[in-house]
Amino acid sequence: MKVLVPVKRVVDYNVKVRVKSDGTGVETANVKMSMNPFDEISVEEALKLREAGAATEVIAVSCGPTACQETLRTALAMGADRAILVETDAELQPLAVAKLLKAVVDKEAPGLCIVGKQAIDDDCNQTGQMLSALLGWSQGTSAYKVTVEGDKLNVVREVDGGLETVVLKMPAVITSDLRLNQPRYVTLPNIMKAKKKPLEILKPDALGVDVAPRLVTLKVEEPPKRKGGVKVPDVQTLVLKLKTEAKVIE
Ligand code: AMP
């Protein structure tokens, strides 16, 4: 079974995101970019399935500009067998990505797609669900634990207040949650090996996908600056301030 793992290039999670002065988006020029953390978890899970003999090949896919090759090389250095870049400079929204991924699935025929729960830049949490709908495949979102049993997949999901187990018939799409696993570190020898692994480049037109955005971003703005706090000498003063100033209690 082939496993397809979409990996998105996003602003590194350690970077303090700055909004562009014209309010059209966030600054990405001269900013450290990395693989979306949930996608690292997906790559790790796919590698574990291959190591356990449940998968035969792990294919990493990224959609976006040429620079996404760097993200794909990271996936290859982690252990993915080969990579596909769907190259475009267009702004990609989740529906467009899901359509591109469906086209890659049609070409590669994997038995499983492990998508990140959400991209930390747009926080959409949509692509995996849209992909599963477009393919007509079963889906297990926010996966906490995954086990393969023949043509079935047991997915333990993180839900409010606990865990839920769903059994999926494969082929399926799962989206990985934070506690699914701890992604492995990339070692220098593996970075060198990754340079020689195959990386195919496809174009949206060749896949027959129209990636034109369907949504318009009206404005992006920073959250209001937090006002400085005050220290109160005792509980009575605190209660008084909560009543008279903050007006959050009566
Ligand atoms: P989102 O729905 O935007 O929050 O993204 C959820 C997941 O979809 C990500 O964690 C990735 O696995 C996948 N994804 C989104 N955008 C891309 C992209 N441009 N290239 C590859 N995978 C993507």
Side-chain angles (χ1 to χ4, degrees):
M1 174 180 75
K2 291 185 192 173
V3 181
L4 200 78
V5 186
V7 294
K8 187 176 187 186
R9 182 173 181 264
V10 296
V11 172
D12 187 272
Y13 72 96
N14 286 308
V15 170
K16 186 169 177 334
V17 172
R18 275 179 298 118
V19 171
K20 283 186 189 164
S21 50
D22 62 3
T24 55
V26 300
E27 205 57 75
T28 51
N30 301 318
V31 169
K32 182 171 188 266
M33 306 292 282
S34 300
M35 188 191 299
N36 183 42
F38 289 101
D39 301 343
E40 287 184 0
I41 296 171
S42 303
V43 174
E44 177 64 35
E45 198 61 21
L47 296 176
K48 281 191 167 156
L49 290 175
R50 193 189 59 198
E51 285 157 6
T56 48
E57 193 182 25
V58 176
I59 309 166
V61 188
S62 196
C63 309
T66 315
C68 295
Q69 288 196 26
E70 205 186 319
T71 316
L72 289 168
R73 290 286 170 207
T74 306
L76 293 170
M78 284 178 77
D81 298 288
R82 58 190 172 93
I84 299 172
L85 169 64
V86 183
E87 194 175 37
T88 172
D89 287 327
E91 177 206 337
L92 292 178
Q93 293 176 349
L95 183 59
V97 176
K99 287 180 181 171
L100 292 173
L101 293 175
K102 179 186 181 292
V104 175
V105 167
D106 290 344
K107 188 170 170 293
E108 294 289 342
L112 178 64
C113 293
I114 312 183
V115 185
K117 177 173 95 167
Q118 72 191 61
I120 61 164
D121 52 359
D122 60 22
D123 275 341
C124 279
N125 187 339
Q126 294 174 352
T127 310
Q129 293 87 328
M130 286 176 167
L131 175 63
S132 127
L134 291 174
L135 289 167
W137 288 10
S138 353
Q139 61 171 302
T141 53
S142 303
Y144 168 86
K145 188 165 183 240
V146 174
T147 41
V148 179
E149 258 181 54
D151 66 343
K152 299 241 161 44
L153 202 64
N154 297 318
V155 180
V156 182
R157 309 183 51 239
E158 287 200 38
V159 292
D160 265 357
L163 298 172
E164 176 191 55
T165 303
V166 290
V167 181
L168 311 180
K169 202 166 172 300
M170 286 201 278
V173 175
I174 59 176
T175 70
S176 46
D177 214 330
L178 205 59
R179 281 164 285 273
L180 181 59
N181 60 47
Q182 180 68 47
R184 65 196 63 186
Y185 286 108
V186 171
T187 61
L188 191 58
N190 285 344
I191 293 176
M192 302 313 286
K193 273 191 218 155
K195 291 186 199 249
K196 297 207 177 84
K197 290 189 181 176
L199 192 160
E200 185 185 358
I201 298 179
L202 303 172
K203 300 279 181 184
D205 283 352
L207 293 172
V209 177
D210 167 16
V211 293
R214 302 293 199 268
L215 306 170
V216 180
T217 303
L218 298 180
K219 198 173 175 196
V220 177
E221 47 190 2
E222 304 226 350
K225 292 256 178 305
R226 289 185 65 179
K227 299 196 189 90
V230 278
K231 269 192 177 169
V232 288
D234 49 42
V235 175
Q236 282 87 339
T237 321
L238 174 66
V239 172
L240 188 70
K241 278 185 177 289
L242 289 175
K243 268 189 194 161
T244 57
E245 290 179 25
K247 297 193 169 61
V248 289
I249 56 172
E250 291 186 355

